[in-house]
Amino acid sequence: MSISGAPQSESLATPDDFPAQYDPAATEAAIYERWEQAGCFTADASRSRRIGGDRDPYGILMPPPNVTAILHVGHGLNNTVQDVLVRWARMKGLETLWLPGTDHAGIATQNVVEKQLAAEGLTRDDLGREKFVERTKAFVAETGGVILQQLRAIGASADWTRTAYTFSPELSGAVREAFVRLYERGLIYRGHRVIHWCPRCLTSLSDEEAEPKETAGTLYHISYPVADDPTRSITVATTRPETMLGDVAVAVNPSDERYMALVGKHVVLPLLNLRIPVIADDYADPAFGTGVVKITPAHDANDFEVGRRHSLPTPVVIDEHGVMGEVEDASGRVPDPIRGLDRFDARQLIVARLEDSGRLVKKEPHTHNVRHCYRCDTVVEPRLSDQWFVRMQTLAHPALEGVRQGRIRILPEKWVGVYEHWMTNIRDWNISRQLWWGHRVPVWYCQTCEPPNNVMASREDLTVCPHCGSPVVQDDDVLDTWFSSWLWPMSTLGWPRDNSTDLRAFYPTDVLVTAPEILFFWVARMIMAGYAFMGDAPFHSVYLHGTARDTQNRKMSKSLGNGIDPLDVVQRYGADALRYTLIAGMGLGADVMLDPADLDKSFATGRNFATKLWNIGRFLLMNVGGDSVRRFEDVAPSELARADAWILERLDDAIRKCDRAIGPLRPARGVWLEEERVAGLRLNEYAERARQFVWNEVADWYLEAIKTRLLTPGADQQVARAVLVHVFDQALRLLHPIVPFVSEALWQRLPAHVDGTFLATSSWPAPRPSTVADARASQFELIKDIIDAMRRIRSEYAIPPGKMIEAFVVATPDWRQILDEEFSLISRLARTALAFVEWAPAGPAANVVLAGGTELIVPLTGLIDVTKECDRLKTELGSLEKQLAALEARLDNPGFTARAPAHVVEAERIKREEWRTRRGVLRTRYEGLCGKA
RNA sequence: GGGCGAAUAGCUCAGCUGGUUAGAGCGCCUGUCUUACACACAGGAUGUCGGGGGUUCGAAUCCCUCUUCGCCCACCA
């Protein structure tokens, strides 16, 4: 079905153009195109109040997916959450910017292109740096950003006119500016130390990029004979025997009495027959292994520190590829059969040799953490090298305070502790990568000048030295991808241009939505950059959502093959079904469980809901059609029927609850107060209340209640139509952020729709000002109760659905009149005729006591077996007695009446009276029917 | 090793500051093609709220402890 084209006069639905099954495939793409063409998602910076406009701004920055990525369910989840918030804010009347973009993803993209080259039998070295970068650029230009197109299919209402890219000229300028500023502040330095190195990607990695994985390894105990006294030896324990070729000492704890006498003496390094000293250092833990630790400064970060403290040499025996060799200061340390071996093969050989020479004392299984490259999973090798580092401690301080003082909140709150712990123990960030794909380190070296003039960080490319005029060369390294990502909230808005309109209009933004995995990689660093460069946090809320998992609780991933393709879901059930299912199934921070093997079941919730919504629209249009409808605003309160009053009250309640679930737009006073700090962002609660309203209140009750009125021409018909259209319009608004497509499709067909207007840019509903409770609304509750009660009784006694029965009502005159007026409604929905009596007739009967003491009596003569009814009454009476006894005991308890809040006690008293009445009724019936108990 | 979190219906989970008879979706059972919807309607069943102890008039909710899972951090070679 196409929503465009058809003039209003023809919008009266026929079964042909309005099938019972909603067909998202025929609807969604066209709607999205119209939104985009109409500029619904384009933010107008000039309207931001911050630069003199008429609206409060609202901003969300899309976590940029890798430029080579294709959409997976994690993206779907992440972007759906953002889209719900953004659409909500937009409807709330804020000038809303959702800024999309991609990340050039240094290692990841380089790996992809290298794989392509490998398929052609080439390496990056065959091409050379320049050509390789050209090729990668071409690859990105050709295939990159597919994911942004895919995001449109799930309805993402991002401002595509502002799409950013971390490697664009603008953002590259920001990267360089940030680097130079930090360099000038002395916060970036060149460090010579042991860092994480990936021997496959041939680059260094930050601590965060080297992921620890628990591994079952072996702890080898090796005996090192004491020099000059071959009868004695000490035993060291290591998991990496191959590094012993680089040993320069063994360390014991200075307080360890076992080895005190040996400190200052030497031991002989097996295999090499090298004399190395025994040193005392606190690093050695007497309780671990043998208490002796071998020191290999070039191949272990801790050993490096020990070596530095004791001025030890740093022989390098493993090269950049993870192959054994005398790389640096290691002359004679790598004997022939070992040289040229891969590190793991070398381990085997060395262990074998130690075994042969009797030096291997013991092998014991040992599980420990081994770090792996986060991009290619290769075991990371600690490597001594020169890298660029950012001093983090000064940057961390304001970012830590920002969270502690409530400028920023992190939800769910359990992550606050994790954040604080990381921030207080923060270590310097290795930002240089030995890659070709990325922002080149903006540092130039002059061969002629003396330090410190020979090293220059510059905003502009340099060719000659500004000091001496000789040619300069640029640093070969590129920057960590995250060094551009951490500037995202600023760089995408135009930083460092101070006069950037977007920056002034939208910084700081509002909510950052992402997965907890990148809390340190990205979120914490963005906060630090925000304070460092803008003097303020980049957002006030961090929403960390869960992960999509399969039925075995495994994270969905490409490598496990247990993923769900969101586009597949969109194609089968529609984007709305995908979105609704994800939102409804996701508590704050909780994981979403989906079954990749049974999409039908996984997405039934969303699909069914979209269909239900569709059918309500279908009902409305079949009844109201193209006829003119009275404006709801023109309907006087006195014209409203009880059902109208009731549904309007439910609508107000739904709006309030949805608003409360989504929460405050931002902190009321700029800083989160204790009571609002955890408020909102409960999107599942919002979805649930909205669903309840539409399904359980509008569809199940209101629609059923007004069917007769809609079919009966007259003034009341017009009232019913007006209320129905109004209520459904409001419901569509309420649901639009979650199910944008079907809601828009239906909204466009509402009788009063003005051509060219969109639900996406219409206003969010507001509850009516709360007034005194409408008595007629609560009267409708009683009618509902009666119908419910009748349905239960009918079902319990297996009365055939078609059979009309009669019930007697004992009620006060007020209620009697109300029920009399609603007779046809009750009789239609409960298939029961009501007769009014002063007291219950004799004979077997079912009865129910309702609000206001109204008693409903259904004679069962001819319908049931008396013995059975006696049993049933007895059981019911029994359980009532029990519950009543407990209730009475509670009310007799002086502690309860004294300490419980008054309204609780009052409620209990009322309940006691109701139950006592009910007990009396049941007893009378029982005695009348079955004799004395 | 340190820190944090979770355990509620067959499954996935709500249940916020302790207070009517603990809820939803999916699944299951019974009935129904009731003129919007069988992707529906009406009704129904199922819970010692992980075990134990404590605080309280009152505990799924607060405290302690145990068990089992999960997450984060950490240089124990």
Side-chain angles (χ1 to χ4, degrees):
Chain A
M1 179 207 76
S2 166
I3 55 165
S4 54
Q8 286 307 311
S9 56
E10 289 175 26
S11 73
L12 178 57
T14 68
D16 281 346
D17 74 321
F18 215 147
Q21 293 295 299
Y22 170 56
D23 180 6
T27 318
E28 294 184 345
I31 291 181
Y32 195 94
E33 211 183 305
R34 293 185 59 205
W35 282 331
E36 208 177 343
Q37 275 172 8
C40 292
F41 312 147
T42 310
D44 179 356
S46 71
R47 294 194 69 171
S48 166
R49 213 180 288 288
R50 289 181 189 154
I51 55 170
D54 61 336
R55 291 174 160 188
D56 281 332
Y58 186 86
I60 289 189
L61 298 149
M62 180 186 293
N66 287 358
V67 70
T68 59
I70 55 161
L71 192 75
H72 59 67
V73 70
H75 296 122
L77 197 141
N78 175 253
N79 288 285
T80 299
V81 170
Q82 294 176 74
D83 197 44
V84 170
L85 293 175
V86 160
R87 284 182 184 270
W88 172 70
R90 194 178 286 127
M91 292 178 76
K92 278 257 180 189
L94 284 83
E95 192 56 37
T96 301
L97 169 63
W98 183 18
L99 201 148
T102 48
D103 190 305
H104 69 285
I107 304 186
T109 305
Q110 175 155 334
N111 283 352
V112 171
V113 175
E114 283 194 69
K115 249 178 220 159
Q116 285 186 347
L117 290 177
E120 299 163 24
L122 295 170
T123 68
R124 63 171 165 170
D125 287 307
D126 294 335
L127 265 70
R129 183 165 190 154
E130 218 165 290
K131 279 196 172 158
F132 179 83
V133 171
E134 281 313 309
R135 166 139 186 175
T136 310
K137 268 188 186 155
F139 171 69
V140 166
E142 195 183 321
T143 61
V146 169
I147 190 164
L148 299 183
Q149 200 56 43
Q150 294 175 317
L151 283 174
R152 289 170 163 90
I154 64 165
S157 64
D159 184 349
W160 304 108
T161 67
R162 285 177 166 87
T163 303
Y165 175 46
T166 53
F167 209 7
S168 69
E170 297 80 19
L171 272 67
S172 300
V175 164
R176 197 173 269 203
E177 178 69 26
F179 185 97
V180 174
R181 279 200 202 178
L182 292 176
Y183 185 86
E184 286 169 351
R185 287 174 60 187
L187 292 177
I188 284 184
Y189 65 94
R190 188 96 167 130
H192 179 69
R193 63 176 69 162
V194 173
I195 43 78
H196 304 294
W197 179 266
C198 174
R200 203 216 63 82
C201 300
L202 296 179
T203 181
S204 67
L205 300 170
S206 67
D207 294 338
E208 291 69 35
E209 290 171 322
E211 296 180 329
K213 285 192 183 173
E214 194 160 276
T215 310
T218 308
L219 192 59
Y220 300 91
H221 294 248
I222 306 164
S223 92
Y224 288 21
V226 175
D228 311 322
D229 185 0
T231 61
R232 298 174 62 194
S233 69
I234 62 178
T235 301
V236 302
T238 179
T239 53
R240 307 185 54 217
E242 69 277 12
T243 63
M244 69 184 287
L245 301 182
D247 284 4
V248 294
V250 295
V252 298
N253 193 285
S255 65
D256 195 335
E257 294 182 2
R258 289 173 295 178
Y259 303 112
M260 228 175 236
L262 289 172
V263 173
K265 293 197 158 59
H266 286 73
V267 292
V268 176
L269 185 57
L271 303 183
L272 297 180
N273 283 320
L274 276 178
R275 285 166 62 96
I276 55 173
V278 178
I279 60 172
D281 194 286
D282 283 334
Y283 169 61
D285 176 1
F288 185 85
T290 58
V292 185
V293 60
K294 61 194 241 358
I295 301 299
T296 321
H299 296 288
D300 183 286
N302 299 299
D303 291 9
F304 180 76
E305 295 304 320
V306 176
R308 191 138 72 174
R309 284 199 284 274
H310 297 267
S311 306
L312 297 169
T314 55
V316 179
V317 296
I318 302 173
D319 74 8
E320 58 184 5
H321 299 281
V323 170
M324 308 303 293
E326 293 170 6
V327 180
E328 204 183 318
D329 303 327
S331 171
R333 278 183 172 265
V334 186
D336 227 358
I338 298 173
R339 187 179 309 148
L341 283 187
D342 175 78
R343 53 196 164 141
F344 298 115
D345 298 334
R347 181 180 300 174
Q348 299 308 317
L349 184 58
I350 285 171
V351 169
R353 288 201 157 194
L354 290 170
E355 235 163 355
D356 290 347
S357 60
R359 289 284 156 213
L360 188 67
V361 179
K362 187 162 80 166
K363 288 201 282 193
E364 61 178 332
H366 179 69
T367 48
H368 58 141
N369 279 327
V370 177
R371 289 185 182 257
H372 292 248
C373 174
Y374 85 134
R375 296 297 0 161
C376 72
D377 207 40
T378 303
V379 173
V380 161
E381 190 63 32
R383 182 162 190 248
L384 184 61
S385 65
D386 291 312
Q387 304 288 342
W388 289 99
F389 292 89
V390 179
R391 255 185 251 286
M392 299 305 277
Q393 224 151 26
T394 28
L395 296 177
H397 181 73
L400 188 54
E401 286 306 303
V403 169
R404 284 191 174 148
Q405 289 168 11
R407 171 66 185 94
I408 307 166
R409 61 173 183 170
I410 301 176
L411 292 176
E413 277 200 307
K414 64 173 178 176
W415 291 103
V416 172
V418 176
Y419 174 87
E420 289 191 0
H421 181 261
W422 189 77
M423 280 299 216
T424 45
N425 298 289
I426 197 158
R427 298 161 65 175
D428 285 354
W429 175 18
N430 171 10
I431 52 168
S432 46
R433 297 290 176 276
Q434 290 64 51
L435 300 169
W436 290 349
W437 181 242
H439 306 94
R440 196 137 167 203
V441 173
V443 168
W444 283 263
Y445 301 97
C446 173
Q447 310 287 5
T448 323
C449 288
E450 292 296 316
N453 287 349
N454 64 333
V455 182
M456 292 146 278
S458 170
R459 291 172 175 85
E460 306 299 328
D461 282 355
L462 297 181
T463 48
V464 293
C465 176
H467 305 292
C468 69
S470 3
V472 290
V473 288
Q474 188 173 4
D475 196 295
D476 275 334
D477 291 353
V478 302
L479 292 165
D480 182 1
T481 288
W482 300 99
F483 193 87
S484 54
S485 317
W486 78 325
L487 306 173
W488 189 249
M490 305 150 27
S491 60
T492 53
L493 294 174
W495 186 88
R497 287 181 289 113
D498 287 338
N499 59 352
S500 160
T501 313
D502 276 0
L503 191 64
R504 289 183 295 127
F506 291 110
Y507 191 96
T509 66
D510 289 274
V511 185
L512 180 88
V513 180
T514 193
E517 290 101 275
I518 53 176
L519 181 59
F520 306 136
F521 268 121
W522 193 45
V523 181
R525 287 172 181 160
M526 275 193 290
I527 296 173
M528 290 188 273
Y531 279 107
F533 299 113
M534 293 293 297
D536 193 7
F539 29 72
H540 57 67
S541 295
V542 175
Y543 176 99
L544 299 172
H545 60 243
T547 313
R549 296 182 183 277
D550 69 8
T551 46
Q552 293 163 61
N553 203 32
R554 297 176 309 179
K555 194 171 165 173
M556 287 192 176
S557 76
K558 222 197 303 187
S559 54
L560 280 173
N562 62 345
I564 289 177
D565 178 0
L567 297 181
D568 192 20
V569 178
V570 168
Q571 203 193 338
R572 286 171 193 245
Y573 317 114
D576 292 328
L578 172 77
R579 296 166 60 111
Y580 184 86
T581 304
L582 292 177
I583 294 294
M586 189 173 61
L588 184 67
D591 292 341
V592 185
M593 301 292 169
L594 297 166
D595 185 354
D598 192 348
L599 295 183
D600 252 14
K601 189 183 164 189
S602 294
F603 294 96
T605 322
R607 181 202 56 187
N608 295 357
F609 182 64
T611 305
K612 185 72 183 182
L613 204 53
W614 178 255
N615 276 296
I616 295 169
R618 192 160 171 254
F619 170 84
L620 183 146
L621 289 170
M622 281 174 163
N623 281 282
V624 179
D627 301 352
S628 70
V629 175
R630 277 182 71 184
R631 280 162 37 101
F632 173 73
E633 292 75 16
D634 298 341
V635 177
S638 58
E639 292 181 86
L640 297 176
R642 291 190 180 88
D644 302 332
W646 177 80
I647 196 66
L648 290 169
E649 202 177 84
R650 298 322 299 153
L651 172 63
D652 287 339
D653 179 78
I655 296 169
R656 287 202 186 88
K657 293 225 167 85
C658 288
D659 268 330
R660 201 185 317 150
I662 310 174
L665 279 159
R666 52 172 57 103
R669 308 235 163 92
V671 169
W672 291 103
L673 304 172
E674 197 53 47
E675 59 269 26
E676 61 178 6
R677 194 171 187 142
V678 296
L681 295 175
R682 263 66 174 188
L683 300 190
N684 58 328
E685 286 177 21
Y686 154 43
E688 171 57 19
R689 183 63 187 98
R691 185 200 66 83
Q692 234 176 47
F693 175 65
V694 159
W695 200 316
N696 303 122
E697 292 167 353
V698 173
D700 289 351
W701 285 102
Y702 186 67
L703 249 48
E704 296 302 332
I706 64 169
K707 274 180 176 170
T708 313
R709 295 168 64 202
L710 289 174
L711 293 173
T712 316
D716 188 49
Q717 179 191 43
Q718 297 311 318
V719 172
R721 286 180 167 193
V723 176
L724 171 63
V725 170
H726 170 73
V727 162
F728 192 52
D729 166 272
Q730 298 284 297
L732 291 175
R733 290 169 196 255
L734 214 47
L735 279 160
H736 181 260
I738 307 177
V739 286
F741 291 108
V742 68
S743 56
E744 182 78 74
L746 292 167
W747 193 78
Q748 300 257 340
R749 306 188 126 222
L750 287 181
H753 177 250
V754 177
D755 224 18
T757 59
F758 293 91
L759 178 56
T761 50
S762 66
S763 64
W764 182 254
R768 296 170 300 174
S770 59
T771 46
V772 190
D774 189 331
R776 280 169 314 157
S778 50
Q779 287 162 9
F780 188 78
E781 291 283 353
L782 177 75
I783 293 156
K784 268 183 79 213
D785 280 352
I786 291 179
I787 294 164
D788 273 336
M790 286 311 306
R791 283 173 173 170
R792 249 178 288 121
I793 289 168
R794 294 187 67 108
S795 173
E796 191 170 345
Y797 295 101
I799 299 165
K803 188 177 169 69
M804 196 73 178
I805 59 170
E806 190 171 55
F808 296 94
V809 183
V810 183
T812 62
D814 297 359
W815 281 117
R816 180 182 280 209
Q817 189 185 338
I818 292 163
L819 294 177
D820 209 17
E821 285 165 14
E822 301 291 350
F823 168 79
S824 74
L825 177 59
I826 296 168
S827 99
R828 184 160 53 83
L829 295 187
R831 290 183 185 279
T832 304
L834 299 181
F836 299 101
V837 292
E838 295 303 330
W839 55 83
N847 65 343
V848 184
V849 179
L850 300 163
T854 303
E855 194 185 337
L856 199 62
I857 301 149
V858 183
L860 296 170
T861 314
L863 291 170
I864 54 129
D865 178 339
V866 174
T867 344
K868 266 192 186 162
E869 173 62 3
C870 287
D871 282 354
R872 196 191 66 80
L873 278 176
K874 204 169 163 183
T875 318
E876 194 182 338
L877 199 48
S879 75
L880 181 68
E881 298 268 21
K882 224 163 120 187
Q883 286 177 359
L884 185 56
L887 180 62
E888 283 173 335
R890 196 177 329 164
L891 280 163
D892 287 344
N893 184 335
F896 174 72
T897 41
R899 299 192 204 187
H903 71 274
V904 173
V905 177
E906 192 45 38
E908 297 283 70
R909 287 212 172 104
I910 292 169
K911 192 167 71 181
R912 179 176 59 183
E913 287 323 301
E914 281 174 0
W915 286 6
R916 278 177 176 168
T917 313
R918 172 90 184 127
R919 180 178 59 183
V921 168
L922 284 178
R923 275 181 181 160
T924 315
R925 297 228 66 76
Y926 185 83
E927 281 161 17
L929 190 61
C930 323
K932 285 280 172 198

